[in-house]
Amino acid sequence: MLFRFLLLLLICAPSALSAAPYQAMVVAAQKSAAEAGMAMLEKSGNAFDAAAATALALGVVEPGSSGIGGGGFFLLYIAREDRYVMIDARETSPKLAGNGEVFEQQSSIDGPQSAGVPGLAAGVDHLIETYGRLNRNVITQPAIDLASNGFAVGPRLRSMLEWRSSAFSDMARTTFLAGDTIRQPALADTLRRFARGGRDDFYRGETAGRLVADMKRDGGLIRESDLATYRVIEREPIIFDYRGFQFVSAALPSSGGMTLANVFGQLQDDNLKVLNQSDRIHLLVEAMKRAYRDRNAHMGDSDFVEIPDLLNPKRLQQQRAGIRMEHATPSSEIGNSSDAIGPGTDTTHFSVIDAEGNMVSATLSINYAFGSGYLSPSTGILLNDEMDDFATRPGKPNAFGLVQGSANAVAPGKRMLSSMTPTFVIGPDRTFIVGTPGGSRIISMVLLASLGFMLDETAAAEWVNAPRYHHQFLPDEIQHEQGAFNPDVANELQKRGHKLKLMKRRYGNMHAILIERETGKLTGIPDARGEGVAIRQE
Ligand code: DON
C-alpha cells in the first residue's frame, strides 16, 4: 500500500525534465561574470562549466560579495540522471577558534580572525571535475583576465566601498581604493595557480603556504591543518511538495530549505490565492515568525549537532493552529531562540540552464560586504567573515540581527549555519530557478518570489522586483521595503498588533530564470535593485 502510494507520488510529482531543448541562459549580478559563463557554453561546456566560470569571475568583479576567500552552495540538476544534488562549499571554523572564546574579546565581523576556512576553491574544483566537460584552465581564464586587466568600479560597488572601507586592511585599501579601475594582480597569480593545481594548490600547496604565513603574521586563525582537512560535501537537497509544486532547496548547514519547508508545511491547507492582502501577509508573517524561531533555536551543522524533527507534519499543523488571524502572536509567546547559550548588497546569486536542461542555482558569499576587510597580501585573497554566522555571543544578535542557539555554537571544523537558499521550484509545466543574497532575509525573499511564481497573479519580473517584507522572530517586527504595503494594509497589520519597520534601503539582488518546459521558452529575471543581466545563448 505504502509502496503504491509512493509510486503514485513519484508519477504525479512534477519533474524538471522536459522534452524541449533549451537555449542556454546565465543570469548573474555582473555582465562580465555572466559572459564568462556564456563563453563556456559557447565552447561546448555545460551548465556546470558555466557555473564554475561565473563563480570565479564574480569573485573578481564583485569583490565585496563573494570569492575564493569565501564559500557557498551550488544546487545542481543533472538532466541526464534526473537528479538533484547540493555542493556544500561552506566555510568551516578554524581549530584555533576553539568554542568561540576569541570572540569575547575580538570582532567576528572585522579583521582576519573573523574568517572561516574558505570553501569556494574546493567547491568550484569539485564542480568542474565531477560534472563539467571543460578543463580548469579554460574555466579559470576569464577570472584571471578580469583580475589582471582590471574592471571599472560601478555605482553599486562604489557605495559598498564607501560604507565598508573603514574595516579594510592596508592591502585591501591599496587594492580597492586606488581609483576607478580595480586591478588585482596578486589574485590573478593565485587564480593561475588554481588553474594549474586546483584544490591541491589552494589547500596544500603554494597558495596554502602563503595564506597561512599571512594569517600568522596578521592575527588570523587559519592554519595549515585547517586548510588540508577542508572537504567539500555533496548533500541531498531538501525536497518537499506544496500544493502541486515541488521545491528543491538548500540543506543544512544552510537553514534555507528547512525554513522554507517549515513555512509551506504550516500553510499546506491554506489557499493563499483567495485571501485578501492583509490576511495573506498576516498569515505569511506569522508562519515566518514560527519557522525562523525554529531555525534560530535548533539549527546548526548537522554533522555536529542533532537536529530535532522540525518538519514533522503534526508539529507544523500545531504551529499553524497557534496562528490567530485577528492578532499577531508576540515572539515572546512563541519561545526564545537562544535557549542553551543564553542589507543585502553583499553575497551573490546566479542561475544557469544549458541546452540539455542541466540547471544550477548558486548562492556564494564572503558574508558581510567585503567580508572581514582583510586582504591577504601574498595571495590577493579577500577573506570572509563567516564566523559571525555562528552564534558567537550568547543571546546577542549577529550582524543580521539573528539571535541563535547552541546548535550553532562555534566548534573546530564545524560549518556555520547559513541562510543562503538556492532553490528550484518545479510546477506542473514551468520551473523557477531562484536565489538571492541578503543575510537572514534571503529565505523570506525566496519565499515571496516563489509565491509570485506559484500564484502567478503578476508579471514574472514582479516576483523579483516587488517590494519585500520579512519577519525573523527576533526582532519582533515586520521589516519591509518602501511600498511593500499600501496604507490600508499597513493600518490593518498594525491594528492586528504587528510592528512595522521600514528599511532605509532596498535589499537583495535576486537572479532568477523562468522555464516553460513544453516550449523551452526562458525568461531571465535580474533584480532591478542591482546591476545584473540575463544572457541568452544565440
Ligand atoms: O550564509 C549566510 O547566511 C550569510 N553569510 C549570507 C550573507 C549575505 O547574504 C550578505 N548579504 N547581504
Side-chain angles (χ1 to χ4, degrees):
M1 184 63 196
L2 179 67
F3 176 73
R4 268 175 46 200
F5 173 70
L6 286 177
L7 199 69
L8 200 72
L9 249 184
L10 275 179
I11 293 168
C12 298
S15 158
L17 262 190
S18 154
Y22 300 106
Q23 266 182 316
M25 181 176 271
V26 182
V27 189
Q30 286 295 326
K31 183 160 178 262
S32 53
E35 284 170 348
M38 192 47 72
M40 300 304 117
L41 294 163
E42 298 292 349
K43 289 183 200 298
S44 304
N46 59 18
F48 311 119
D49 297 305
T54 302
L56 292 171
L58 280 169
V60 176
V61 296
E62 263 199 322
S65 302
S66 72
I68 55 170
F73 301 103
F74 296 87
L75 185 67
L76 313 185
Y77 174 67
I78 302 133
R80 94 185 112 76
E81 300 171 33
D82 194 15
R83 176 168 75 92
Y84 300 100
V85 69
M86 181 181 93
I87 297 181
D88 168 0
R90 182 67 162 167
E91 297 88 336
T92 55
S93 180
K95 291 190 196 66
L96 285 177
N99 294 320
E101 303 82 355
V102 303
F103 301 112
E104 285 161 23
Q105 307 297 334
Q106 297 189 61
S107 169
S108 56
I109 302 176
D110 301 336
Q113 75 291 341
S114 61
V117 182
L120 194 75
V124 168
D125 203 16
H126 179 80
L127 183 62
I128 297 170
E129 247 177 31
T130 315
Y131 299 102
R133 278 190 206 132
L134 302 177
N135 77 44
R136 207 169 42 227
N137 284 302
V138 172
I139 289 170
T140 311
Q141 196 58 47
I144 295 172
D145 292 342
L146 289 163
S148 70
N149 300 338
F151 66 93
V153 179
R156 190 176 172 82
L157 187 55
R158 176 151 334 271
S159 87
M160 279 170 87
L161 281 165
E162 277 161 18
W163 172 47
R164 208 41 195 138
S165 57
S166 60
F168 281 7
S169 64
D170 290 346
M171 193 63 185
R173 221 169 282 133
T174 318
T175 306
F176 298 128
L177 300 175
D180 295 339
T181 302
I182 291 180
R183 287 194 186 80
Q184 302 170 80
L187 180 63
D189 283 342
T190 294
L191 288 167
R192 283 186 193 102
R193 288 194 299 275
F194 174 76
R196 283 195 302 272
R199 71 193 108 157
D200 283 348
D201 170 73
F202 192 95
Y203 293 92
R204 292 162 189 269
E206 185 176 336
T207 298
R210 288 172 177 240
L211 187 60
V212 170
D214 287 352
M215 293 264 93
K216 286 182 177 160
R217 188 189 58 240
D218 294 335
L221 306 177
I222 298 170
R223 296 292 180 267
E224 290 86 347
S225 70
D226 296 312
L227 288 166
T229 53
Y230 183 85
R231 293 283 172 273
V232 64
I233 300 175
E234 286 210 349
R235 300 191 191 269
E236 294 278 328
I238 296 288
I239 301 187
F240 64 93
D241 289 325
Y242 173 73
R243 299 175 74 92
F245 291 82
Q246 185 181 56
F247 277 75
V248 180
S249 189
L252 290 172
S254 170
S255 59
M258 284 184 74
T259 308
L260 280 182
N262 191 323
V263 172
F264 284 119
Q266 293 179 61
L267 303 182
Q268 200 58 252
D269 296 326
D270 291 288
N271 184 357
L272 296 170
K273 229 177 154 100
V274 301
L275 295 183
N276 68 44
Q277 254 196 38
S278 302
D279 281 348
R280 189 192 282 181
I281 294 165
H282 173 83
L283 190 54
L284 282 167
V285 163
E286 289 296 302
M288 273 183 212
K289 196 185 286 184
R290 287 159 174 80
Y292 268 91
R293 191 263 161 185
D294 281 349
R295 176 210 182 278
N296 302 345
H298 298 298
M299 292 188 204
D301 182 343
S302 52
D303 295 339
F304 281 72
V305 288
E306 197 69 43
I307 312 292
D309 186 9
L310 299 170
L311 299 179
N312 182 309
K314 267 223 177 80
R315 184 175 179 279
L316 295 177
Q317 269 167 17
Q318 274 167 6
Q319 279 185 327
R320 172 65 186 88
I323 297 178
R324 293 166 293 175
M325 284 312 286
E326 68 289 354
H327 211 276
T329 311
S331 293
S332 55
E333 274 180 32
I334 298 174
N336 63 58
S337 58
S338 58
D339 40 357
I341 54 164
T345 48
D346 20 332
T347 302
T348 197
H349 178 87
F350 65 89
S351 299
V352 185
I353 182 166
D354 67 16
E356 295 148 53
N358 295 309
M359 305 190 292
V360 180
S361 182
T363 313
L364 312 174
S365 185
I366 50 174
N367 195 32
Y368 225 50
F370 292 91
S372 63
Y374 174 78
L375 193 131
S376 136
S378 70
T379 63
I381 297 172
L382 179 65
L383 282 173
N384 69 84
D385 59 353
E386 300 286 1
M387 293 304 284
D388 191 62
D389 276 349
F390 279 118
T392 51
R393 290 170 305 148
K396 296 272 167 40
N398 75 356
F400 299 107
L402 290 166
V403 182
Q404 310 177 92
S406 58
N408 190 28
V410 182
K414 191 176 173 186
R415 285 157 145 88
M416 54 297 283
L417 188 64
S418 172
S419 301
M420 290 188 277
T421 313
T423 298
F424 304 129
V425 191
I426 301 123
D429 40 39
R430 302 189 302 174
T431 299
F432 190 42
I433 312 180
V434 63
T436 180
S440 54
R441 296 187 208 121
I442 291 174
I443 308 168
S444 61
M445 286 189 253
V446 171
L447 175 80
L448 295 180
S450 305
L451 274 175
F453 167 67
M454 292 189 291
L455 302 179
D456 199 23
E457 294 162 340
T458 53
E462 273 297 288
W463 312 339
V464 166
N465 293 324
R468 297 166 170 147
Y469 55 91
H470 168 80
H471 198 300
Q472 61 181 39
F473 180 69
L474 288 178
D476 190 357
E477 62 193 16
I478 305 179
Q479 302 169 358
H480 67 93
E481 290 182 321
Q482 181 84 47
F485 312 127
N486 68 39
D488 290 345
V489 171
N491 274 340
E492 180 57 34
L493 290 170
Q494 280 164 324
K495 234 170 63 196
R496 294 187 200 188
H498 293 285
K499 186 173 161 215
L500 303 187
K501 166 103 188 271
L502 172 66
M503 305 312 288
K504 283 198 211 97
R505 289 188 299 177
R506 304 189 80 194
Y507 60 83
N509 197 16
M510 184 171 275
H511 295 102
I513 301 178
L514 171 67
I515 302 149
E516 293 171 38
R517 295 200 301 274
E518 266 311 298
T519 59
K521 181 176 173 221
L522 304 179
T523 309
I525 322 171
D527 199 320
R529 294 166 183 79
E531 299 169 355
V533 297
I535 303 187
R536 189 187 300 271
Q537 194 169 25
E538 292 310 326

